[in-house]
Structures are given as C-alpha cells and as structure tokens.
Amino acid sequence: MARADAWGAPGGSVFARKQGGQRGNRRGNARVIAEPGYARLLAAEPLLRRSIPTLIVLFLLVVGAVRFLSLVDWHDDIERNAKTLLSLSAGEMANGLEVYTEHGHPDADFARSLIARTASHGLGARYALAVMDGDFRILAASPDMLRWEGKRLDELVSSGQPLFMFGERAGVIDIAIDGAAWYAAIDLNDQRNGAVAALISQQDVFDDWRRTVSLNVTLFVLTASILLVLLYAYFTQSARAQSADRIYLEAHQRIDLALARGRCGLWDWDLVRGKMYWSSSMYDMLGYEAADRMLSFGEVAEIIHLDDGDLFDFANKIMSREIDMIDQVFRMRHASGQWIWMRVRAHVVDAEAAEMQLIGIAVDVTEQRHLALRSEAADMRLRTAIENTSESFVLWDAADRLVLCNSKFQQDHGLSERDIVPGSDRAAIEAHMKPFVTERRLASAHAPQGAATYERQLADGRWLQVTELTTRDGGTVSIGTDITQLKLNQEKLVDSERRLMATIHDLSIARKAEAQKTRELVELNRKYMRETERAEAANRAKSEFLANMSHELRTPLNAIIGFSEVMESGLFGSLGNDRYLEYARDIHSSGTYLLGVINDILDMSKIEAGQVSMEREEIGLGRLISETVRVIALQAAKKSITVETDIAEHMSLFADRRAIKQIVINLLSNAVKFTRDGGHILVRARNVGNAMVLSIEDNGCGIPKDKIGKLGRPFEQVQNQFTKSHAGSGLGLAISRSLAELHGGALKIRSTERVGTIVSVRIPVKARATATAA
C-alpha cells in the first residue's frame, strides 16, 4: 500500500527495487553491500571543490536577475493601482457632482462635503481631491492643497490639456505641477458647469518602492561578500575535513561489524526532514541491498506491519513533545516476504533542540517472540480449559495468595470481580465468601499425602465436594464438584422407600374407591342420555310449535292486512270519517310489522335448527344490489335519503342468491331506518384476496362503542334518544350474521356515535362445494 506523509515520498518503491535486486543476488548466491555514501563523497570531493566557485557566481547572478524582475513588476503594479484608484475616485466624485448640479451650480460647501465623503472611503492623505466650476476654478480642495482654492487648475498644471478637453475619456495621464511629476484624472459633468479632479504625486507613489530597491541592492552586495568569505573558509577547512572523514569511515566500519554480529541495526531519525538512516546491518537483517542514502518515513513505514503501529503517529507524538523515546516491538517485512519481529529503542538526542533527532537500535527478536507466543498460546489453552470445566477451580501460591480461579468458583461463593484480583490474600477472599450451611471433612484412605476432601452445602442449597491438593512449589489447588444431584438422589431414595410402604397401603383403598367411582359414572352416563333425549325432544317441539304458530298467525294476519287495505282504499265505499281511515292505516301497518316479526322469528329458528340449505350459484353482484336498492328505494325516498352504489358491473359471487339478497335488504333497511331525513347511504363492494367485502355506510345516529358487541344477537337492539321511535324485532342483524357465517364469511360493525355506521360483510368468492346445513 502506497503511503505519503509530510516527511517523505510515498513508500514502497525503494524497497520494491531493493527486493528485486536481492532476488537477483540470491540467484548468484552472493550479497552485494554498497560502498558507504560518505566514502564515495570523499572520492568525489576534488571535482566538487572545483565546481563550488562557479556555482556561487551563478547563484548570485540568478538571485540578482530574479530580484530585478520582481522589482520592475512591482513598480508596474504600484503605477497601475495608483491610476485605478485615481480613476475610481474621480468617477465617484463626478457622480455626486452630477446629482447636485441638476438643480444649480456647485458651491464651496457642497464641494468640501463631497471631498470629505470621497476621502473617507479609504484614500490616503497623499491623494489630492478638488472640485471646480465650469472654468476649472477650484471651489474646494483636500486639506493639504487648500492653497489651490480660488485658482484655475489649468493654470497650475502643465501638459494636462487632454484632461480639460476630454475629461474622463482622457483617462489618467502624467502632468507636471511646479516642476514635479503627478498622476491626474479629471471628470466633467454633462452640463460642463462643474468638474472634479483626483491627483497624486509620483514621488509619493513610488517612495516605498525606491526604499525597497535601495535595501535590496545593499542586501545583495552584503550576501555576495559573505559568500565569498564562506568560499575561502570552505577551501581552508576541506583539507582538515578529509582527514577527519577517513578516521570516521574506519570507526563506522567497526561499528557496522559489531552490529551485524549482534543482530542489531542502527537507526538515526531526522524528524524535521522526515528522513532516516539505517546501518548496513539493518539492511542485512531484513535481506535488502544496503542503500547509500537517507530513507523517507514513507519507505520505512511501507514494510512495517499495519497492525503493529504507525510510524507517523510516533513521529507526531515526538514532535508535539508528548513522548521523548520509543520502545516498540513490531513486524517488518523481510526481502523473502516473511515477517521479522524487531524491537526498536530510540531516544531524543536533545529535547530542547529546534530540530528533533532520535538515535536508537533495532534488535531482531523473532525467536524470542515466537517462543513467547507459543508460551502464551499454551497458557491460554490451559486457562480456557480451566474456565470451561464444570468444576470450580482455584489456585493459591505458597503464601496463600490467589493465582487464578474460574468463573464457576466465583459464582459458587458469591464473589465479585474486585474480590478475585490475582495476588489477593486467601483470608481476605474467604471473608467475602457466602458462609456455608454445613461443612464436614471426608476421610479417605486412598487420598494422596497432604490432600483433603470436604463436603459443603452452599447458601443456595447446592452441595459441593471440594478436594484440595498441594503443589510442588507449596501452593494449593482446590477443585469443587457439584454433588447436589447426588445428594438429592440419596434423599429421594430414602423418601421413595417410605412412600413405597404407604403406596402399598393406599393401593388397596384406591381399588375399592375406583370400583365405587365406576358405578357412579355408569349411573351419570345413564342420566346424561335421558337428559339429551329430553333436550332433543324439546327442540323438536319448539320447531313444530313455531311452524304451527306461523301458519296459525299468518292466516288471520293476512286477513287483517287485506281487510285494512280494502278499508283504506275505500273499495266498497267511504268510511265516512277520517278517524276511521287513520285507524285502518294503523291496523295495516301494525299487521305488516307483526308479519315481518313472525317471518324473522321463523327464519332465525330455521337457522338455529340447521334447516337452511345454501344453494350456491354464480351471482352477478351489481345486478343483485340494484334489485335490492329498488326494494328499499320507496322507504328511502320518504325520508329524502340518497342511496349510492359503487360496484363494478363485472363483479360476481358464488353464493346463495336468496341469502345474499336477504342480507343486503336487512342491512339497507336498518341503514334507512336509523338515518335522519336528508341523509346519505353508500353501498360498495370490492375483492380482497379470495373474498368479496360488501360495505354499507350511512351517516345516521351511530352506535355507542359499548353497545356494538351486543348487536348481532337475537332480539338485541340499542336504545337511545335517536332509535326509540324505530320499532323492530332485533333479528335483522342476527339473521344477516348467521347467513354470512353459513357462507364461510363474517359480519363486522364499525360505528361512531352521531357520525354514522359502517357494516361490512365478508363472503368467500369461491367455495369448494355447496354447503348444506342438515
């Protein structure tokens, strides 16, 4: 992975090249260690010494040329900025003058206020502003130019004729005032009865630039002198340095040899420049070709394992003075691709120095690391085995201090995490244990010397058998086995023996009682059969009674209804009195109501007796609903109730036509009955899954929530101030619900008092077979 940071180029490329070179060296079974860089520097020193004077002269020429060009460019920028500011100031004053001169000629007070306003926008005191009349006579000027007031500007200025003729179009030009060079810009108003001027002396414009030029010339001369002195000192010291370098080379070779024999490497970190020096032994340990240059942090970080630390993080902490040393173990990639464990120790040379530098060594600890890992793995396996065992385990050292224990020991004795800190005294830990209910030592002839076995009952009722053994170093290991089940089995065995004798005694008594219960059951069964026959006979009698009563009641009722219709219509002549006509209507309505009640009772009794058969057929739902709506249309029209249907023409249903029609008539009749005059009823149907859902929604008086559960039961009605005037048997909803259930469906009611009611009937669209209730 390529990494870049503030201390070096992206890592990876240098060691990749070196690794490739190393593979080539291995093919030849030889390793090439490059000559150290400082030795090469000594060989190249004569050529370098001859080229230094030429380089210094070239340096001075380049610096002088670059500085000269930058000063010229700065001069042009200053001139351009001054002219731009003059043009903008003149334009701003001209705008203010134009507004004022629309109503008359400018006066001195206005001119002074205009100058003050323009000067307040950031113009320096070196800029001169003036307001003039149509003859270019100065009405007011900047405070430093008050001597110009009352004079004509065209008389004070020379070489400025374009400004007075063209004004703003002339731009900013060079003029002369009293022999001094100035920049000036003049703007005339449209009536040419006023003008404004903005001026600045060129001496003031370039004053800072001239001082900078003088300073740069002085510094250049001083720098050149210093470089010449340094050049002389260099030649003087180079001879001495050459001798010292040879001595340093010999000492360095001895150090490299010692480091290579000790499997160590020298690291020298320059944190400011982000560079690092490695000794040749360091390259040798990692199998890379030795380099003759400084390495970047990125190159070194690239071969460090990502999980073992971040070299950049260490560098940042040292630079921020958080740490002053490093003692870290991490893996570095060998040229062969395997990972080598290295322990790096480095200290800051001088914590107070401006440039931070660390020097340290890296030691190959791969063998020690592998040994530690194997030991750690074995220890972990042992601890895991102890933790996962079903027995409690605790180990004390020779001084009765805790070495380790498992969670089973902690749970059995009610200890917290802070109680079982390794190194804690045994007496202190036992003081925090829950006390035992009972404890006794068991004698064993075959136990090892120094071993002891205890049987303890814990506070929670469990039993432990604890065996304590002495270790070779004088410590104690204690293993506790849960024998609760064994103790319970022993108690159960004793209890079973007692119960066995009692059971034998009770068995003979139970046999006698069982015979008595058998006789009682036979008698109860005989009585149950008699009562069942009586109930069936009563049910048949009820059905026959209702059937007979229906014929007995329908015959006179039909006569009463028929004669009342004759009397009401006056078929055989007028009754002669309106009150008799009203009585005839009451007789007709009461007879019709009573006939409907009798029909409902008969229908309900047939449903309860299971005498209703469902003749299923394919029904066009839209046509059936239209027929039903026409039946109750007259009743709805009397109360000005609108009945709306929302049913697709193609909807069909596999059901009993008469039963579905009766369900819809009952629900629509109830909706019309309990909806106020001018109300609205909506009938709609939709397919939901494998069923048809028919909903009848009205905006009538509604039903209280606590009364909805009673609806659908035979003869149940909800009475309130809105329904007291509506008579009925209370069987309409019960019949509709029963017919829906015979189809395998259901009827549900949702209602809000004073808002309205929604009655939904769910009927399966298809049936596997015709359901007939016997």
Side-chain angles (χ1 to χ4, degrees):
M1 179 183 68
R3 303 174 59 181
D5 63 284
W7 291 281
S13 60
V14 171
F15 281 109
R17 174 176 56 81
K18 293 173 185 175
Q19 185 172 347
Q22 182 62 28
R23 286 195 294 266
N25 291 342
R26 284 198 299 270
R27 285 194 298 267
N29 296 323
R31 175 173 299 166
V32 178
I33 303 299
E35 185 180 4
Y38 42 80
R40 296 183 179 182
L41 180 62
L42 294 177
E45 186 178 0
L47 179 60
L48 179 63
R49 186 167 58 250
R50 289 193 298 269
S51 62
I52 285 179
T54 304
L55 294 176
I56 291 177
V57 173
L58 290 175
F59 170 77
L60 292 175
L61 291 176
V62 170
V63 170
V66 170
R67 191 54 184 163
F68 173 79
L69 293 175
S70 65
L71 290 173
V72 171
D73 185 59
W74 185 28
H75 181 278
D76 294 341
D77 289 342
I78 292 173
E79 180 181 359
R80 183 167 49 255
N81 292 338
K83 289 182 177 181
T84 301
L85 190 56
L86 286 175
S87 179
L88 293 175
S89 300
E92 181 181 356
M93 293 174 64
N95 291 335
L97 180 63
E98 187 68 35
V99 175
Y100 185 85
T101 54
E102 288 180 356
H103 306 288
H105 294 281
D107 55 20
D109 293 336
F110 166 76
R112 291 189 182 92
S113 65
L114 180 60
I115 291 172
R117 185 167 63 251
T118 304
S120 65
H121 292 169
L123 286 177
R126 298 178 298 177
Y127 287 85
L129 304 176
V131 179
M132 302 167 287
D133 58 13
D135 296 330
F136 298 107
R137 189 174 302 279
I138 298 174
L139 300 177
S142 299
D144 293 342
M145 303 300 172
L146 293 178
R147 65 183 184 278
W148 290 357
E149 292 184 358
K151 298 179 182 180
R152 292 180 53 144
L153 185 61
D154 54 353
E155 295 177 353
L156 296 174
V157 174
S158 60
S159 303
Q161 192 62 27
L163 291 174
F164 301 107
M165 292 180 62
F166 303 108
E168 180 185 4
R169 291 177 295 171
V172 180
I173 65 174
D174 296 344
I175 63 171
I177 300 177
D178 296 334
W182 289 63
Y183 291 125
I186 295 180
D187 203 335
L188 308 174
N189 64 352
D190 294 338
Q191 295 81 11
R192 299 189 70 85
N193 60 354
V196 296
L199 310 93
I200 187 171
S201 172
Q202 294 186 13
Q203 177 67 29
D204 293 336
V205 172
F206 297 111
D207 189 36
D208 293 340
W209 181 82
R210 291 189 181 94
R211 284 197 297 269
T212 302
V213 170
S214 176
L215 178 61
N216 275 266
V217 171
T218 302
L219 290 176
F220 180 80
V221 173
L222 182 60
T223 302
S225 301
I226 292 174
L227 287 176
L228 292 175
V229 172
L230 291 176
L231 181 61
Y232 173 76
Y234 169 76
F235 282 107
T236 303
Q237 294 296 327
S238 61
R240 300 177 184 176
Q242 186 175 4
S243 175
D245 287 340
R246 289 192 178 91
I247 297 173
Y248 172 78
L249 175 60
E250 295 175 358
H252 199 281
Q253 289 173 344
R254 288 194 293 270
I255 293 175
D256 285 345
L257 181 60
L259 291 174
R261 298 290 176 84
R263 297 291 293 171
C264 298
L266 179 65
W267 288 33
D268 188 347
W269 298 2
D270 188 345
L271 295 176
V272 176
R273 297 172 181 81
K275 298 296 183 179
M276 183 180 299
Y277 166 76
W278 278 7
S279 65
S280 59
S281 58
M282 188 69 203
Y283 292 98
D284 185 48
M285 283 192 296
L286 294 175
Y288 293 108
E289 180 183 353
D292 58 352
R293 66 175 185 82
M294 302 287 281
L295 301 174
S296 69
F297 277 19
E299 292 172 329
V300 178
E302 192 271 339
I303 63 172
I304 294 178
H305 200 286
L306 295 178
D307 297 338
D308 296 338
D310 190 348
L311 193 63
F312 301 96
D313 185 44
F314 292 140
N316 289 329
K317 289 182 178 180
I318 294 173
M319 293 295 293
S320 60
R321 300 298 200 274
E322 295 182 20
I323 58 176
D324 61 355
M325 65 167 292
I326 295 177
D327 189 351
Q328 184 74 17
V329 177
F330 47 76
R331 286 166 286 182
M332 300 184 73
R333 189 175 60 248
H334 193 270
S336 61
Q338 63 183 353
W339 294 100
I340 303 298
W341 286 95
M342 307 290 290
R343 180 171 185 175
V344 176
R345 295 181 179 179
H347 289 262
V348 176
V349 176
D350 185 359
E352 303 299 329
E355 296 186 356
M356 301 290 291
Q357 185 177 4
L358 278 82
I359 294 180
I361 62 171
V363 182
D364 184 353
V365 294
T366 304
E367 294 182 3
Q368 296 91 321
R369 187 70 180 183
H370 289 168
L371 180 61
L373 290 175
R374 287 193 296 269
S375 177
E376 182 180 351
D379 184 67
M380 182 59 66
R381 285 193 295 270
L382 177 61
R383 288 180 179 272
T384 302
I386 292 174
E387 179 64 28
N388 293 331
T389 185
S390 59
E391 288 82 10
S392 65
F393 179 91
V394 61
L395 176 63
W396 312 95
D397 62 12
D400 274 346
R401 289 188 298 266
L402 178 65
V403 177
L404 66 92
C405 67
N406 62 1
S407 57
K408 191 70 170 60
F409 173 81
Q410 178 184 353
Q411 294 170 4
D412 289 345
H413 298 87
L415 296 172
S416 63
E417 292 292 338
R418 62 175 178 271
D419 295 332
I420 56 171
V421 178
S424 300
D425 189 68
R426 180 174 183 175
I429 294 177
E430 290 178 347
H432 290 89
M433 292 182 182
K434 292 181 180 179
F436 306 131
V437 177
T438 60
E439 180 183 22
R440 67 188 185 95
R441 183 168 180 173
L442 302 179
S444 177
H446 304 287
Q449 184 177 2
T453 302
Y454 300 90
E455 193 174 81
R456 297 168 180 169
Q457 185 179 13
L458 304 179
D460 58 2
R462 292 183 296 117
W463 288 84
L464 289 182
Q465 181 173 309
V466 180
T467 301
E468 293 187 354
L469 301 171
T470 303
T471 61
R472 293 181 180 180
D473 59 355
T476 303
V477 60
S478 176
I479 301 174
T481 304
D482 191 335
I483 59 171
T484 304
Q485 195 61 41
L486 179 62
K487 300 292 287 187
L488 291 177
N489 290 338
Q490 291 177 352
E491 293 176 359
K492 288 180 180 179
L493 181 60
V494 175
D495 186 63
S496 296
E497 292 177 354
R498 291 196 301 267
R499 291 184 180 183
L500 180 60
M501 300 304 297
T503 301
I504 294 173
H505 174 72
D506 294 338
L507 184 60
S508 59
I509 298 174
R511 287 180 178 177
K512 297 178 181 179
E514 187 67 25
Q516 180 64 27
K517 288 181 180 180
T518 301
R519 289 192 295 270
E520 292 176 356
L521 287 174
V522 171
E523 183 64 24
L524 288 174
N525 185 52
R526 189 162 48 249
K527 293 179 179 179
Y528 171 75
M529 296 301 295
R530 287 199 298 267
E531 294 299 327
T532 301
E533 293 173 356
R534 290 178 184 176
E536 291 176 352
N539 188 44
R540 287 194 297 271
K542 181 191 74 170
S543 300
E544 293 173 359
F545 170 76
L546 291 175
N548 294 331
M549 287 300 296
S550 66
H551 295 292
E552 296 297 331
L553 290 174
R554 282 177 176 174
T555 301
L557 279 176
N558 287 329
I560 292 171
I561 294 171
F563 286 127
S564 64
E565 288 178 351
V566 171
M567 295 171 65
E568 185 178 359
S569 62
L571 182 63
F572 300 106
S574 175
L575 296 178
N577 192 324
D578 292 340
R579 180 169 295 181
Y580 289 144
L581 182 61
E582 183 180 352
Y583 290 161
R585 293 193 187 101
D586 291 341
I587 292 171
H588 180 269
S589 63
S590 299
T592 303
Y593 169 72
L594 184 58
L595 182 61
V597 171
I598 292 173
N599 290 333
D600 289 344
I601 293 174
L602 289 174
D603 291 341
M604 194 67 211
S605 65
K606 289 181 180 179
I607 293 173
E608 289 181 345
Q611 297 177 354
V612 177
S613 61
M614 297 286 102
E615 299 296 334
R616 299 177 186 265
E617 59 179 309
E618 195 74 24
I619 303 171
L621 189 61
R623 183 176 179 182
L624 185 144
I625 297 298
S626 299
E627 294 174 358
T628 308
V629 170
R630 285 196 295 271
V631 172
I632 59 96
L634 181 60
Q635 182 182 355
K638 290 180 180 180
K639 299 178 68 176
S640 300
I641 296 173
T642 59
V643 180
E644 181 184 352
T645 60
D646 181 13
I647 301 171
E649 295 183 359
H650 64 278
M651 287 190 68
S652 62
L653 182 67
F654 191 77
D656 186 281
R657 176 184 294 275
R658 183 184 62 80
I660 298 300
K661 192 170 185 178
Q662 186 173 358
I663 291 173
V664 178
I665 290 175
N666 289 347
L667 298 181
L668 282 175
S669 298
N670 282 346
V672 172
K673 184 187 301 182
F674 296 107
T675 300
R676 300 184 183 88
D677 294 350
H680 178 265
I681 297 174
L682 174 62
V683 181
R684 56 183 175 181
R686 64 186 185 278
N687 287 325
V688 179
N690 295 325
M692 182 278 298
V693 177
L694 175 66
S695 300
I696 299 176
E697 179 179 354
D698 64 67
N699 58 351
C701 59
I703 305 169
K705 291 184 178 180
D706 58 339
K707 304 295 185 182
I708 292 178
K710 297 181 179 181
L711 296 179
R713 302 175 187 171
F715 307 105
E716 286 285 356
Q717 285 185 317
V718 177
Q719 297 291 337
N720 56 34
Q721 64 270 28
F722 301 106
T723 62
K724 289 179 180 178
S725 60
H726 302 294
S729 63
L731 292 173
L733 279 176
I735 293 173
S736 298
R737 184 188 296 274
S738 298
L739 292 175
E741 291 174 351
L742 287 175
H743 282 85
L747 183 144
K748 294 184 179 179
I749 302 174
R750 292 179 295 166
S751 181
T752 303
E753 199 169 2
R754 294 185 178 87
V755 176
T757 302
I758 301 175
V759 181
S760 300
V761 180
R762 183 180 181 276
I763 303 294
V765 176
K766 293 290 184 180
R768 294 182 180 178
T770 302
T772 303

